[in-house]
Amino acid sequence: MDLSDVQGSSIAIDLLNPDMIIGGPPCQDFSSAGKRDEDGGRGDLTVHYAEIISNVRPKWFVMENVARIVKTQKLIDAKEILKKAGYGLSQHVLDASYCEVPQKRKRFFLIGKLHEMDGFMSPFINSGLSAFPMTMRDYFGNSLGIEFYYRHPRSYVRRGIFSIDEPSPTVRGVNRPMPVGYKIHANDPIKSKEGIRPLTTLERSYIQTFPRTYQFIGSKTDVEQMIGNAVPVNLAKFVGNAINNYLAQPHMTRNLEIDFEGWEPQERLAAYASEPMG
């Protein structure tokens, strides 16, 4: 469906009676790699996501985005909608390398639960973080058969060669070979580019912690984009485990009476639409 059709999407999703909705509204308008134009376009889908959640009112929701969204008006607008709908909000920017992913990749998560206090997930998120960032060697051992590799920088002001004894930089949706004229950068961990290669498409998917049995379908360009846009599997698992740990607390599992329970979707939407937006 076109999720900018908030009413139609809300009705269709509400019929499924979800306990939890998890989503990642397109982030290109907020990304450091994008145009960073949050007025209109895909950036509006963050607000539409909040509107759909407030209409359907599942017990839980999780929203993922790039870390830069914390500086946007769209996030402020979305949070106002969600607070009005009765959600406690817990906001976290996580570095994947502290969440069992061999990659320095920061992502924003907004976790909401009906009738909870803001920040309710902080103890469960913070207690799960590792003390040290995961390096490529921590995750792969020596199975890649390399000590150094090339990752094309956005600008040659930055280095392009990395060691497996550090977390990988953020995996992006492009994978370019080392240019013939690449000059060793002062911060490169090795002073010769001889024998240095970029990672393969599959190796990049492993850094995103996709299982080796996962099968990608599409052109090489499409698959590279899928891998670069994905939430690392272990990062998603980390958030899921934190929610499970919250639910495992005896005093957290009480059944709360939820407004609108038993209402038809159209009645929920009519009640929602009768109140002006905050």
Side-chain angles (χ1 to χ4, degrees):
M1 295 186 67
D2 179 356
L3 296 180
S4 64
D5 173 9
V6 172
Q7 184 173 17
S9 299
S10 298
I11 292 171
I13 294 170
D14 192 74
L15 291 172
L16 303 172
N17 194 30
D19 288 320
M20 176 183 285
I21 293 176
I22 303 175
C27 62
Q28 290 91 337
D29 294 336
F30 309 136
S31 172
S32 60
K35 296 180 180 179
R36 284 182 259 172
D37 178 12
E38 62 170 296
D39 294 326
R42 293 167 294 193
D44 285 341
L45 287 171
T46 297
V47 175
H48 295 329
Y49 179 87
E51 291 171 338
I52 291 169
I53 295 294
S54 68
N55 289 345
V56 178
R57 298 184 91 244
K59 295 176 183 177
W60 288 84
F61 76 84
V62 179
M63 185 181 82
E64 177 271 343
N65 215 293
V66 294
R68 190 177 291 273
I69 196 174
V70 299
K71 299 179 180 180
T72 67
Q73 182 62 41
K74 286 289 190 288
L75 179 61
I76 294 172
D77 295 343
K79 288 167 69 174
E80 286 180 352
I81 293 167
L82 294 163
K83 288 299 298 179
K84 183 179 178 182
Y87 286 93
L89 303 178
S90 199
Q91 174 177 316
H92 307 274
V93 174
L94 298 176
D95 181 336
S97 66
Y98 290 89
C99 306
E100 300 186 12
V101 179
Q103 178 187 177
K104 191 169 182 60
R105 184 187 191 99
K106 289 187 176 180
R107 284 299 180 269
F108 169 88
F109 290 87
L110 185 66
I111 305 171
K113 187 176 188 297
L114 280 171
H115 312 306
E116 252 295 2
M117 296 176 60
D118 287 347
F120 66 99
M121 283 298 300
S122 290
F124 304 94
I125 292 287
N126 294 337
S127 64
L129 295 171
S130 64
F132 302 98
M134 175 174 278
T135 69
M136 294 269 283
R137 195 185 297 276
D138 291 335
Y139 190 74
F140 293 106
N142 297 318
S143 64
L144 296 177
I146 57 174
E147 294 291 321
F148 305 96
Y149 60 95
Y150 178 77
R151 185 265 209 175
H152 196 72
R154 289 198 177 99
S155 135
Y156 288 118
V157 174
R158 304 180 181 183
R159 66 173 169 142
I161 297 176
F162 295 83
S163 166
I164 67 169
D165 288 312
E166 59 185 316
S168 159
T170 298
V171 172
R172 304 200 307 264
V174 295
N175 188 21
R176 297 174 183 167
M178 178 187 287
V180 174
Y182 178 78
K183 296 180 179 179
I184 292 294
H185 190 278
N187 292 327
D188 284 337
I190 191 171
K191 299 311 175 186
S192 171
K193 61 183 182 181
E194 190 68 30
I196 303 297
R197 65 169 178 84
L199 297 171
T200 67
T201 300
L202 283 179
E203 287 169 343
R204 285 158 42 82
S205 77
Y206 301 155
I207 291 173
Q208 287 279 59
T209 58
F210 279 95
R212 295 188 179 229
T213 55
Y214 193 88
Q215 296 183 18
F216 293 93
I217 298 175
S219 68
K220 186 177 187 303
T221 300
D222 288 343
V223 170
E224 292 282 7
Q225 197 71 50
M226 289 179 213
I227 293 168
N229 286 347
V231 175
V233 175
N234 283 1
L235 180 57
K237 180 181 177 181
F238 176 90
V239 174
N241 282 340
I243 291 172
N244 279 338
N245 290 338
Y246 168 98
L247 291 171
Q249 303 300 308
H251 65 287
M252 301 293 186
T253 58
R254 62 190 184 277
N255 291 320
L256 297 172
E257 182 178 348
I258 299 176
D259 298 339
F260 300 153
E261 191 163 356
W263 289 26
E264 291 300 318
Q266 293 85 350
E267 293 174 318
R268 297 189 191 198
L269 291 167
Y272 176 75
S274 67
E275 298 184 14
M277 294 295 292

